[in-house]
Amino acid sequence: DIVMTQSPDSLSLSLGERATINCKSSRSVLYGSNNKKYLAWYQQRPGQPPKLLIYWASTRESGVPDRFSGSGSDTDFTLTIDSLQAEDVAVYYCQQYHSTPWTFGQGTKLEIK
Amino acid sequence: QITLKESGPTLVKPTQTLTLTCTFSGFSLTTSGVGVGWIRQPPGKALEWLAFIYWNDDRRYMTSLRSRLTITKDTSKNQVVLTLTNMDPVDTATYYCAHSVGGLTLIDNGFDYWGQGTLVTVSS
């Protein structure tokens, strides 16, 4: 199974600051046939289901603010949230969907100071 | 507009079988590339993918729970059913169903629509 490891486990920042969340996969999630990285990011606000933010490591889902961006190599990925807003308080998860069993990271909790 | 809703028991006893139904609208599981997955989340813990069914009836399961899981679809009712046998207190979790679209692979862009989830508690 591909193991997904996120860092840090939690993050406390001020409004307007930039948040950086990392995710590392134990194996490459690059799909050779289309050169896409099969890595997604989700936001889960308290009491809510997860919401897809980013897929293919860097493609924003429709309707997601451009403050959210994703980047990374075949195994190391980053979710960046610019200009933090109060509504960004949530737990963020990465997920690989390159090969089953699809696996999630342990989550990163983002709080506002 | 795509919506999904999970239903089933809120409380099950240890050793019983859990049956959950995902009823959806806004898409069809007869459409090429469409899939539905089940994901669970124990209280205060991370998400865990369980099972997936594709429009062509291709099915995938979480490795460690494969012997206990079954996923099926009823396209006439727009439903996907998950069964998990031999329930244990560690299976206490919120269970979500979610929509996906694939083409080149089973899932091309993650799980893009989720139900609100249903909390299942396992206790005698």
Side-chain angles (χ1 to χ4, degrees):
Chain A
D1 299 3
I2 298 178
V3 177
M4 307 301 290
T5 304
Q6 291 181 228
S7 62
D9 289 334
S10 63
L11 201 51
S12 183
L13 296 168
S14 300
L15 292 173
E17 286 193 303
R18 169 182 289 181
T20 301
I21 299 170
N22 301 301
C23 174
K24 186 176 182 67
S25 61
S26 60
R27 295 204 311 268
S28 170
V29 297
L30 176 69
Y31 193 69
S33 298
N34 59 4
N35 205 37
K36 299 286 190 185
K37 297 154 193 172
Y38 277 52
L39 187 284
W41 288 98
Y42 298 87
Q43 174 194 63
Q44 187 176 32
R45 292 178 173 137
Q48 294 296 312
K51 173 188 174 184
L52 177 67
L53 296 176
I54 303 279
Y55 59 94
W56 285 336
S58 61
T59 303
R60 259 189 311 276
E61 174 72 341
S62 175
V64 173
D66 59 8
R67 302 185 294 105
F68 293 86
S69 61
S71 63
S73 66
D74 297 355
T75 59
D76 290 89
F77 303 92
T78 300
L79 173 69
T80 302
I81 310 170
D82 286 321
S83 188
L84 273 174
Q85 300 184 7
E87 67 204 46
D88 300 333
V89 168
V91 179
Y92 293 84
Y93 294 95
C94 61
Q95 179 215 1
Q96 67 81 18
Y97 52 100
H98 176 274
S99 52
T100 56
W102 299 315
T103 45
F104 292 86
Q106 80 276 19
T108 294
K109 186 175 185 178
L110 175 60
E111 298 174 323
I112 303 294
K113 284 181 184 175
Chain B
Q1 178 193 1
I2 289 177
T3 64
L4 303 100
K5 186 173 183 179
E6 306 86 354
S7 60
T10 57
L11 179 66
V12 297
K13 290 181 168 48
T15 75
Q16 287 186 335
T17 294
L18 172 68
T19 300
L20 293 174
T21 301
C22 175
T23 303
F24 56 84
S25 62
F27 67 94
S28 172
L29 258 177
T30 62
T31 301
S32 177
V34 173
V36 171
W38 284 94
I39 301 99
R40 73 179 179 180
Q41 185 173 37
K45 295 189 178 181
L47 301 165
E48 182 175 61
W49 171 74
L50 297 175
F52 175 83
I53 191 162
Y54 205 40
W55 70 281
N56 63 359
D57 217 32
D58 192 345
R59 307 176 198 197
R60 304 296 172 95
Y61 296 100
M62 180 186 180
T63 310
S64 61
L65 292 178
R66 186 182 181 88
S67 63
R68 298 173 54 205
L69 284 166
T70 303
I71 190 169
T72 59
K73 60 181 170 70
D74 185 332
T75 54
S76 66
K77 293 182 180 178
N78 280 350
Q79 291 180 335
V80 171
V81 175
L82 181 78
T83 62
L84 181 58
T85 62
N86 195 23
M87 292 289 284
D88 182 273
V90 300
D91 297 311
T92 295
T94 296
Y95 287 75
Y96 297 99
C97 60
H99 167 275
S100 67
V101 175
L104 191 60
T105 64
L106 291 175
I107 294 184
D108 277 345
N109 52 3
F111 290 109
D112 52 4
Y113 293 90
W114 294 62
Q116 285 297 310
T118 185
L119 175 61
V120 179
T121 301
V122 184
S123 175
S124 54

